[in-house]
Amino acid sequence: MEQLKGLWRDTKYLWLGFAFASVAFAAFGSWYHLAVIPCLPVCFTYFAWMRYDENGKPKNDFNGADH
């Protein structure tokens, strides 16, 4: 759970921008842009678990090696 909090703390404006842009594109363009919104939590969770440790701090090593 701390991974999710860490990612939200560091990138909340980016994720809110994605959601806002999807709604704006749907309002001014076509409704199929709303299909992105259900994908956002899946991507958010993936990046949180891959990029943050159990304490909510960014991982230093992204290639999986523990040195």
Side-chain angles (χ1 to χ4, degrees):
M1 187 58 140
E2 295 300 319
Q3 292 96 336
L4 298 174
K5 290 179 185 177
L7 182 62
W8 182 252
R9 177 189 67 235
D10 294 341
T11 61
K12 65 182 148 206
Y13 295 117
L14 177 69
W15 293 100
L16 291 173
F18 285 149
F20 177 76
S22 296
V23 172
F25 288 148
F28 296 112
S30 181
W31 61 271
Y32 68 84
H33 291 285
L34 292 177
V36 172
I37 292 177
C39 300
L40 290 177
V42 175
C43 294
F44 182 83
T45 304
Y46 171 77
F47 283 116
W49 286 99
M50 292 293 118
R51 302 296 185 197
Y52 287 80
D53 65 10
E54 297 81 22
N55 298 320
K57 296 178 185 172
K59 292 180 182 177
N60 290 331
D61 189 11
F62 293 120
N63 64 7
D66 293 326
H67 295 214

